[in-house]
PDB file of all heavy atoms in Angstrom:
ATOM      1  N   LEU A  21      16.601   1.475 -16.044  1.00  0.00           N
ATOM      2  CA  LEU A  21      17.836   0.807 -15.629  1.00  0.00           C
ATOM      3  C   LEU A  21      17.541  -0.433 -14.788  1.00  0.00           C
ATOM      4  O   LEU A  21      18.118  -1.504 -15.013  1.00  0.00           O
ATOM      5  CB  LEU A  21      18.725   1.788 -14.852  1.00  0.00           C
ATOM      6  CG  LEU A  21      20.021   1.218 -14.308  1.00  0.00           C
ATOM      7  CD1 LEU A  21      20.963   0.863 -15.451  1.00  0.00           C
ATOM      8  CD2 LEU A  21      20.665   2.203 -13.353  1.00  0.00           C
ATOM      9  N   VAL A  22      16.631  -0.309 -13.831  1.00  0.00           N
ATOM     10  CA  VAL A  22      16.296  -1.450 -12.978  1.00  0.00           C
ATOM     11  C   VAL A  22      15.620  -2.553 -13.793  1.00  0.00           C
ATOM     12  O   VAL A  22      15.922  -3.735 -13.621  1.00  0.00           O
ATOM     13  CB  VAL A  22      15.404  -0.986 -11.799  1.00  0.00           C
ATOM     14  CG1 VAL A  22      14.847  -2.172 -11.040  1.00  0.00           C
ATOM     15  CG2 VAL A  22      16.206  -0.101 -10.863  1.00  0.00           C
ATOM     16  N   CYS A  23      14.731  -2.169 -14.699  1.00  0.00           N
ATOM     17  CA  CYS A  23      14.097  -3.169 -15.568  1.00  0.00           C
ATOM     18  C   CYS A  23      15.130  -3.872 -16.434  1.00  0.00           C
ATOM     19  O   CYS A  23      15.041  -5.081 -16.659  1.00  0.00           O
ATOM     20  CB  CYS A  23      13.032  -2.517 -16.450  1.00  0.00           C
ATOM     21  SG  CYS A  23      11.503  -2.163 -15.598  1.00  0.00           S
ATOM     22  N   PHE A  24      16.124  -3.134 -16.912  1.00  0.00           N
ATOM     23  CA  PHE A  24      17.173  -3.749 -17.727  1.00  0.00           C
ATOM     24  C   PHE A  24      18.013  -4.716 -16.896  1.00  0.00           C
ATOM     25  O   PHE A  24      18.403  -5.780 -17.397  1.00  0.00           O
ATOM     26  CB  PHE A  24      18.058  -2.680 -18.366  1.00  0.00           C
ATOM     27  CG  PHE A  24      19.104  -3.253 -19.265  1.00  0.00           C
ATOM     28  CD1 PHE A  24      18.766  -3.754 -20.508  1.00  0.00           C
ATOM     29  CD2 PHE A  24      20.429  -3.321 -18.853  1.00  0.00           C
ATOM     30  CE1 PHE A  24      19.724  -4.309 -21.335  1.00  0.00           C
ATOM     31  CE2 PHE A  24      21.394  -3.870 -19.667  1.00  0.00           C
ATOM     32  CZ  PHE A  24      21.044  -4.366 -20.921  1.00  0.00           C
ATOM     33  N   ILE A  25      18.291  -4.370 -15.652  1.00  0.00           N
ATOM     34  CA  ILE A  25      19.047  -5.282 -14.779  1.00  0.00           C
ATOM     35  C   ILE A  25      18.258  -6.568 -14.561  1.00  0.00           C
ATOM     36  O   ILE A  25      18.802  -7.673 -14.666  1.00  0.00           O
ATOM     37  CB  ILE A  25      19.383  -4.591 -13.439  1.00  0.00           C
ATOM     38  CG1 ILE A  25      20.401  -3.481 -13.658  1.00  0.00           C
ATOM     39  CG2 ILE A  25      19.883  -5.594 -12.411  1.00  0.00           C
ATOM     40  CD1 ILE A  25      20.615  -2.574 -12.466  1.00  0.00           C
ATOM     41  N   ILE A  26      16.964  -6.429 -14.275  1.00  0.00           N
ATOM     42  CA  ILE A  26      16.125  -7.613 -14.061  1.00  0.00           C
ATOM     43  C   ILE A  26      16.006  -8.416 -15.351  1.00  0.00           C
ATOM     44  O   ILE A  26      16.074  -9.651 -15.338  1.00  0.00           O
ATOM     45  CB  ILE A  26      14.750  -7.193 -13.514  1.00  0.00           C
ATOM     46  CG1 ILE A  26      14.908  -6.577 -12.117  1.00  0.00           C
ATOM     47  CG2 ILE A  26      13.791  -8.364 -13.460  1.00  0.00           C
ATOM     48  CD1 ILE A  26      13.662  -5.938 -11.562  1.00  0.00           C
ATOM     49  N   LEU A  27      15.842  -7.732 -16.479  1.00  0.00           N
ATOM     50  CA  LEU A  27      15.762  -8.402 -17.778  1.00  0.00           C
ATOM     51  C   LEU A  27      17.031  -9.197 -18.041  1.00  0.00           C
ATOM     52  O   LEU A  27      16.971 -10.372 -18.438  1.00  0.00           O
ATOM     53  CB  LEU A  27      15.546  -7.375 -18.892  1.00  0.00           C
ATOM     54  CG  LEU A  27      15.494  -7.900 -20.317  1.00  0.00           C
ATOM     55  CD1 LEU A  27      14.414  -7.161 -21.075  1.00  0.00           C
ATOM     56  CD2 LEU A  27      16.804  -7.723 -21.026  1.00  0.00           C
ATOM     57  N   SER A  28      18.177  -8.583 -17.827  1.00  0.00           N
ATOM     58  CA  SER A  28      19.453  -9.262 -18.084  1.00  0.00           C
ATOM     59  C   SER A  28      19.621 -10.486 -17.192  1.00  0.00           C
ATOM     60  O   SER A  28      20.045 -11.552 -17.657  1.00  0.00           O
ATOM     61  CB  SER A  28      20.618  -8.307 -17.858  1.00  0.00           C
ATOM     62  OG  SER A  28      20.516  -7.197 -18.685  1.00  0.00           O
ATOM     63  N   TYR A  29      19.283 -10.350 -15.925  1.00  0.00           N
ATOM     64  CA  TYR A  29      19.436 -11.448 -14.980  1.00  0.00           C
ATOM     65  C   TYR A  29      18.564 -12.637 -15.374  1.00  0.00           C
ATOM     66  O   TYR A  29      19.039 -13.772 -15.452  1.00  0.00           O
ATOM     67  CB  TYR A  29      19.082 -10.974 -13.568  1.00  0.00           C
ATOM     68  CG  TYR A  29      19.132 -12.057 -12.534  1.00  0.00           C
ATOM     69  CD1 TYR A  29      20.347 -12.488 -12.018  1.00  0.00           C
ATOM     70  CD2 TYR A  29      17.972 -12.664 -12.073  1.00  0.00           C
ATOM     71  CE1 TYR A  29      20.398 -13.496 -11.064  1.00  0.00           C
ATOM     72  CE2 TYR A  29      18.005 -13.667 -11.130  1.00  0.00           C
ATOM     73  CZ  TYR A  29      19.217 -14.076 -10.629  1.00  0.00           C
ATOM     74  OH  TYR A  29      19.266 -15.076  -9.692  1.00  0.00           O
ATOM     75  N   PHE A  30      17.286 -12.367 -15.634  1.00  0.00           N
ATOM     76  CA  PHE A  30      16.382 -13.469 -15.937  1.00  0.00           C
ATOM     77  C   PHE A  30      16.601 -14.030 -17.339  1.00  0.00           C
ATOM     78  O   PHE A  30      16.352 -15.215 -17.576  1.00  0.00           O
ATOM     79  CB  PHE A  30      14.926 -13.055 -15.723  1.00  0.00           C
ATOM     80  CG  PHE A  30      14.533 -13.084 -14.272  1.00  0.00           C
ATOM     81  CD1 PHE A  30      14.433 -11.922 -13.555  1.00  0.00           C
ATOM     82  CD2 PHE A  30      14.288 -14.282 -13.637  1.00  0.00           C
ATOM     83  CE1 PHE A  30      14.091 -11.944 -12.221  1.00  0.00           C
ATOM     84  CE2 PHE A  30      13.943 -14.321 -12.305  1.00  0.00           C
ATOM     85  CZ  PHE A  30      13.847 -13.148 -11.584  1.00  0.00           C
ATOM     86  N   ALA A  31      17.054 -13.211 -18.272  1.00  0.00           N
ATOM     87  CA  ALA A  31      17.391 -13.743 -19.595  1.00  0.00           C
ATOM     88  C   ALA A  31      18.593 -14.683 -19.487  1.00  0.00           C
ATOM     89  O   ALA A  31      18.602 -15.770 -20.096  1.00  0.00           O
ATOM     90  CB  ALA A  31      17.683 -12.604 -20.567  1.00  0.00           C
ATOM     91  N   TYR A  32      19.588 -14.276 -18.721  1.00  0.00           N
ATOM     92  CA  TYR A  32      20.761 -15.132 -18.510  1.00  0.00           C
ATOM     93  C   TYR A  32      20.353 -16.446 -17.837  1.00  0.00           C
ATOM     94  O   TYR A  32      20.737 -17.532 -18.281  1.00  0.00           O
ATOM     95  CB  TYR A  32      21.795 -14.387 -17.670  1.00  0.00           C
ATOM     96  CG  TYR A  32      22.914 -15.268 -17.175  1.00  0.00           C
ATOM     97  CD1 TYR A  32      23.904 -15.712 -18.034  1.00  0.00           C
ATOM     98  CD2 TYR A  32      22.964 -15.664 -15.840  1.00  0.00           C
ATOM     99  CE1 TYR A  32      24.925 -16.531 -17.587  1.00  0.00           C
ATOM    100  CE2 TYR A  32      23.971 -16.477 -15.376  1.00  0.00           C
ATOM    101  CZ  TYR A  32      24.953 -16.915 -16.241  1.00  0.00           C
ATOM    102  OH  TYR A  32      25.948 -17.729 -15.805  1.00  0.00           O
ATOM    103  N   LYS A  33      19.571 -16.342 -16.768  1.00  0.00           N
ATOM    104  CA  LYS A  33      19.138 -17.543 -16.052  1.00  0.00           C
ATOM    105  C   LYS A  33      18.264 -18.431 -16.931  1.00  0.00           C
ATOM    106  O   LYS A  33      18.334 -19.654 -16.852  1.00  0.00           O
ATOM    107  CB  LYS A  33      18.373 -17.161 -14.780  1.00  0.00           C
ATOM    108  CG  LYS A  33      19.235 -16.590 -13.689  1.00  0.00           C
ATOM    109  CD  LYS A  33      20.123 -17.668 -13.127  1.00  0.00           C
ATOM    110  CE  LYS A  33      20.803 -17.182 -11.881  1.00  0.00           C
ATOM    111  NZ  LYS A  33      21.569 -18.240 -11.230  1.00  0.00           N
ATOM    112  N   GLY A  34      17.434 -17.812 -17.757  1.00  0.00           N
ATOM    113  CA  GLY A  34      16.580 -18.586 -18.659  1.00  0.00           C
ATOM    114  C   GLY A  34      17.379 -19.317 -19.713  1.00  0.00           C
ATOM    115  O   GLY A  34      17.091 -20.480 -20.034  1.00  0.00           O
ATOM    116  N   ILE A  35      18.384 -18.660 -20.279  1.00  0.00           N
ATOM    117  CA  ILE A  35      19.225 -19.303 -21.293  1.00  0.00           C
ATOM    118  C   ILE A  35      20.019 -20.451 -20.686  1.00  0.00           C
ATOM    119  O   ILE A  35      20.120 -21.535 -21.272  1.00  0.00           O
ATOM    120  CB  ILE A  35      20.146 -18.264 -21.964  1.00  0.00           C
ATOM    121  CG1 ILE A  35      19.314 -17.316 -22.826  1.00  0.00           C
ATOM    122  CG2 ILE A  35      21.217 -18.942 -22.800  1.00  0.00           C
ATOM    123  CD1 ILE A  35      20.069 -16.113 -23.339  1.00  0.00           C
ATOM    124  N   VAL A  36      20.559 -20.236 -19.510  1.00  0.00           N
ATOM    125  CA  VAL A  36      21.310 -21.303 -18.838  1.00  0.00           C
ATOM    126  C   VAL A  36      20.391 -22.478 -18.513  1.00  0.00           C
ATOM    127  O   VAL A  36      20.745 -23.644 -18.733  1.00  0.00           O
ATOM    128  CB  VAL A  36      22.004 -20.761 -17.563  1.00  0.00           C
ATOM    129  CG1 VAL A  36      22.543 -21.886 -16.710  1.00  0.00           C
ATOM    130  CG2 VAL A  36      23.107 -19.790 -17.933  1.00  0.00           C
ATOM    131  N   ALA A  37      19.189 -22.183 -18.011  1.00  0.00           N
ATOM    132  CA  ALA A  37      18.238 -23.260 -17.695  1.00  0.00           C
ATOM    133  C   ALA A  37      17.819 -24.005 -18.963  1.00  0.00           C
ATOM    134  O   ALA A  37      17.663 -25.234 -18.943  1.00  0.00           O
ATOM    135  CB  ALA A  37      17.019 -22.683 -16.983  1.00  0.00           C
ATOM    136  N   TYR A  38      17.656 -23.266 -20.069  1.00  0.00           N
ATOM    137  CA  TYR A  38      17.301 -23.921 -21.337  1.00  0.00           C
ATOM    138  C   TYR A  38      18.424 -24.837 -21.805  1.00  0.00           C
ATOM    139  O   TYR A  38      18.165 -25.966 -22.241  1.00  0.00           O
ATOM    140  CB  TYR A  38      16.995 -22.876 -22.411  1.00  0.00           C
ATOM    141  CG  TYR A  38      16.827 -23.482 -23.775  1.00  0.00           C
ATOM    142  CD1 TYR A  38      15.689 -24.215 -24.095  1.00  0.00           C
ATOM    143  CD2 TYR A  38      17.830 -23.356 -24.736  1.00  0.00           C
ATOM    144  CE1 TYR A  38      15.539 -24.789 -25.345  1.00  0.00           C
ATOM    145  CE2 TYR A  38      17.690 -23.928 -25.992  1.00  0.00           C
ATOM    146  CZ  TYR A  38      16.542 -24.648 -26.288  1.00  0.00           C
ATOM    147  OH  TYR A  38      16.410 -25.226 -27.515  1.00  0.00           O
ATOM    148  N   LEU A  39      19.662 -24.363 -21.729  1.00  0.00           N
ATOM    149  CA  LEU A  39      20.791 -25.189 -22.177  1.00  0.00           C
ATOM    150  C   LEU A  39      20.938 -26.440 -21.317  1.00  0.00           C
ATOM    151  O   LEU A  39      21.212 -27.535 -21.840  1.00  0.00           O
ATOM    152  CB  LEU A  39      22.080 -24.365 -22.166  1.00  0.00           C
ATOM    153  CG  LEU A  39      22.148 -23.234 -23.196  1.00  0.00           C
ATOM    154  CD1 LEU A  39      23.406 -22.412 -23.004  1.00  0.00           C
ATOM    155  CD2 LEU A  39      22.063 -23.791 -24.607  1.00  0.00           C
ATOM    156  N   ILE A  40      20.736 -26.295 -20.024  1.00  0.00           N
ATOM    157  CA  ILE A  40      20.819 -27.460 -19.135  1.00  0.00           C
ATOM    158  C   ILE A  40      19.688 -28.435 -19.439  1.00  0.00           C
ATOM    159  O   ILE A  40      19.888 -29.655 -19.523  1.00  0.00           O
ATOM    160  CB  ILE A  40      20.802 -27.015 -17.658  1.00  0.00           C
ATOM    161  CG1 ILE A  40      22.100 -26.294 -17.330  1.00  0.00           C
ATOM    162  CG2 ILE A  40      20.580 -28.198 -16.734  1.00  0.00           C
ATOM    163  CD1 ILE A  40      22.116 -25.626 -15.981  1.00  0.00           C
ATOM    164  N   HIS A  41      18.490 -27.906 -19.622  1.00  0.00           N
ATOM    165  CA  HIS A  41      17.341 -28.761 -19.914  1.00  0.00           C
ATOM    166  C   HIS A  41      17.506 -29.472 -21.265  1.00  0.00           C
ATOM    167  O   HIS A  41      17.129 -30.642 -21.410  1.00  0.00           O
ATOM    168  CB  HIS A  41      16.052 -27.924 -19.906  1.00  0.00           C
ATOM    169  CG  HIS A  41      14.820 -28.746 -20.021  1.00  0.00           C
ATOM    170  ND1 HIS A  41      14.229 -29.033 -21.222  1.00  0.00           N
ATOM    171  CD2 HIS A  41      14.063 -29.361 -19.069  1.00  0.00           C
ATOM    172  CE1 HIS A  41      13.159 -29.775 -21.015  1.00  0.00           C
ATOM    173  NE2 HIS A  41      13.035 -29.991 -19.722  1.00  0.00           N
ATOM    174  N   ARG A  42      18.072 -28.788 -22.235  1.00  0.00           N
ATOM    175  CA  ARG A  42      18.294 -29.389 -23.553  1.00  0.00           C
ATOM    176  C   ARG A  42      19.302 -30.530 -23.464  1.00  0.00           C
ATOM    177  O   ARG A  42      19.145 -31.571 -24.100  1.00  0.00           O
ATOM    178  CB  ARG A  42      18.770 -28.328 -24.539  1.00  0.00           C
ATOM    179  CG  ARG A  42      18.809 -28.858 -25.975  1.00  0.00           C
ATOM    180  CD  ARG A  42      19.280 -27.837 -26.928  1.00  0.00           C
ATOM    181  NE  ARG A  42      20.708 -27.613 -26.665  1.00  0.00           N
ATOM    182  CZ  ARG A  42      21.446 -26.710 -27.255  1.00  0.00           C
ATOM    183  NH1 ARG A  42      20.902 -25.888 -28.120  1.00  0.00           N
ATOM    184  NH2 ARG A  42      22.730 -26.580 -26.972  1.00  0.00           N
ATOM    185  N   GLU A  43      20.355 -30.325 -22.666  1.00  0.00           N
ATOM    186  CA  GLU A  43      21.369 -31.381 -22.535  1.00  0.00           C
ATOM    187  C   GLU A  43      20.837 -32.582 -21.762  1.00  0.00           C
ATOM    188  O   GLU A  43      21.168 -33.713 -22.076  1.00  0.00           O
ATOM    189  CB  GLU A  43      22.616 -30.831 -21.831  1.00  0.00           C
ATOM    190  CG  GLU A  43      23.434 -29.897 -22.679  1.00  0.00           C
ATOM    191  CD  GLU A  43      24.006 -30.572 -23.908  1.00  0.00           C
ATOM    192  OE1 GLU A  43      24.459 -31.730 -23.818  1.00  0.00           O
ATOM    193  OE2 GLU A  43      23.981 -29.937 -24.981  1.00  0.00           O
ATOM    194  N   LEU A  44      20.014 -32.323 -20.755  1.00  0.00           N
ATOM    195  CA  LEU A  44      19.519 -33.437 -19.943  1.00  0.00           C
ATOM    196  C   LEU A  44      18.377 -34.189 -20.605  1.00  0.00           C
ATOM    197  O   LEU A  44      18.309 -35.419 -20.531  1.00  0.00           O
ATOM    198  CB  LEU A  44      19.062 -32.929 -18.574  1.00  0.00           C
ATOM    199  CG  LEU A  44      20.165 -32.439 -17.637  1.00  0.00           C
ATOM    200  CD1 LEU A  44      19.560 -31.881 -16.367  1.00  0.00           C
ATOM    201  CD2 LEU A  44      21.109 -33.583 -17.303  1.00  0.00           C
TER     202      LEU A  44
END
Side-chain angles (χ1 to χ4, degrees):
L21 178 68
V22 170
C23 283
F24 183 74
I25 291 169
I26 295 171
L27 178 140
S28 301
Y29 177 78
F30 281 103
Y32 169 74
K33 288 291 190 174
I35 291 170
V36 168
Y38 171 73
L39 292 175
I40 291 171
H41 187 268
R42 189 180 70 185
E43 288 297 320
L44 291 176

